[in-house]
Amino acid sequence: MSAGVAATLVTSVTAAADPSLLLPMQSGSVGDPVFGVLLWLLEQWYWLMDWTYYLTNLEMVSPRYRFMHRAILVGLCVGVMAPLIGTFLVHRQLALIGDALAHTGFAGVAVGLFLNAVLDLGVSPYLTAVVVAMIAALFIELISEVTDAYNDVSMAIVLSTGFALGTTLISLNAGGLAVGVNQFLFGNLSTVSPQSAAILLVLFAVIVGTVALTRNQLLYVTFDETAAAVSGISVNWYNRVMVMLTAMVVVGAMQIMGVILVAAMLVVPVAGATQVSRSFSESLVVSVVLAELAVLLGIAVAFYAGVTAGGIIVLVAVGIYVCAVALGKIQSARGDRGTPDMGSIEVDTVDVGAGAGDD
């Protein structure tokens, strides 16, 4: 079956269920078959949410609120991606890189909106945000390598440059450009479109797949760059991989968290997990659980209370962190484990010597 026929069949199925799903596919671009598959997966998610509604009668998963179905899907993906990358960042003392890339991601959104207004390209602002954030991530590493500046210096330079670019483009009125920036600054559940959800699914697959394939090397570089370099691992290469994955997470989470709060999901669940975990792998799993709990509770409160989702998610995550600290202190008092801190997590025993070097 040709790609064109397959795309037509997928288009017919999705149109029957929800005509709004066709919006990303009307351009006739080469990527239509790929979007068709992603939107088919999104339709299966709708079906699962419909069954959840029939079983639980929860209003926020009602078939009337397709935007909530997409917001929950995005939240669940972010709840995996953010701590998955954040665990490596926290232990490398790069927690603030999320802020820098979030502000450059905002610049990417501004670039997309500007190009759409002036050139009528019809490109998703979140797609341009991914590209700009990844370029900024590479610049952070490049500045550190070329100038021998500390990472916080390069992050500060990229952060200020990115936000300056974004505000400049938004302030321009070329081509009648008018932008409501609140949804990008603070996040908005109702603005998660089928197209942005599909982009998030691609980012999710790339991030999880990359970490699964390079976990040992990333772990080695995180805890001992010198030993990793001696063993033949290209430290600079894996540093670039890490910052680019961070850029993807930041842009994906921006949809519901906003620029201002997106970095919290990279740090807060991981910080809570380190209080009750004994190993890196345990910390990774616990941080994902805590992040998912914060996302689901935050989205629910935001829906029923009518407040901004990003702020509630962060507040819930901070509350969970406080509980984790208290639990860690109780464990220490009972002698179950030593007093936890960011550097107390034991590194898992991994075989990074065999096959660790680059070809």
Side-chain angles (χ1 to χ4, degrees), residues 79-209:
V80 174
M81 296 188 306
L84 188 65
I85 300 301
T87 303
F88 290 98
L89 296 179
V90 166
H91 289 288
R92 298 180 66 180
Q93 299 181 351
L94 291 175
L96 292 180
I97 194 174
D99 266 330
L101 295 179
H103 285 75
T104 55
F106 175 71
V109 169
V111 168
L113 293 169
F114 183 82
L115 292 177
N116 288 342
V118 177
L119 303 178
D120 194 24
L121 293 181
V123 65
S124 170
Y126 286 109
L127 195 56
T128 56
V130 172
V131 175
V132 172
M134 291 179 68
I135 293 174
L138 292 177
F139 268 109
I140 289 176
E141 281 299 310
L142 183 63
I143 293 172
S144 297
E145 293 171 12
V146 173
T147 66
D148 293 327
Y150 292 110
N151 278 325
D152 58 345
V153 174
S154 59
M155 285 187 283
I157 292 172
V158 170
L159 184 153
S160 55
T161 303
F163 206 64
L165 174 62
T167 53
T168 300
L169 290 176
I170 286 174
S171 66
L172 292 176
N173 196 32
L177 179 63
V179 181
V181 298
N182 283 346
Q183 67 182 29
F184 301 111
L185 289 175
F186 304 106
N188 194 327
L189 295 178
S190 63
T191 60
V192 181
S193 66
Q195 186 179 18
S196 58
I199 293 173
L200 190 278
L201 289 175
V202 173
L203 296 179
F204 178 82
V206 171
I207 291 168
V208 173

Side-chain angles (χ1 to χ4, degrees), residues 234-357:
S234 177
V235 173
N236 288 339
W237 169 255
Y238 284 103
N239 284 338
R240 296 188 187 109
V241 169
M242 180 54 59
V243 295
M244 291 178 70
L245 292 178
T246 305
M248 295 181 190
V249 172
V250 165
V251 174
M254 189 188 300
Q255 299 182 56
I256 61 173
M257 301 295 300
V259 169
I260 296 176
L261 299 171
V262 67
M265 290 307 293
L266 289 166
V267 178
V268 179
V270 178
T274 58
Q275 301 298 312
V276 296
S277 303
R278 295 180 177 85
S279 69
F280 186 87
S281 292
E282 184 179 341
S283 174
L284 193 59
V285 173
V286 173
S287 64
V288 169
V289 172
L290 297 184
E292 295 288 14
L293 185 60
V295 166
L296 291 177
L297 289 177
I299 289 177
V301 172
F303 176 80
Y304 290 108
V307 295
T308 303
I312 292 296
I313 292 173
V314 173
L315 290 176
V316 172
V318 171
I320 293 174
Y321 167 74
V322 172
C323 294
V325 171
L327 180 59
K329 296 298 183 182
I330 293 173
Q331 289 178 337
S332 298
R334 295 174 55 184
D336 293 339
R337 67 193 298 266
T339 302
D341 54 52
M342 286 300 180
S344 66
I345 298 296
E346 295 180 4
V347 183
D348 302 320
T349 302
V350 293
D351 183 12
V352 295

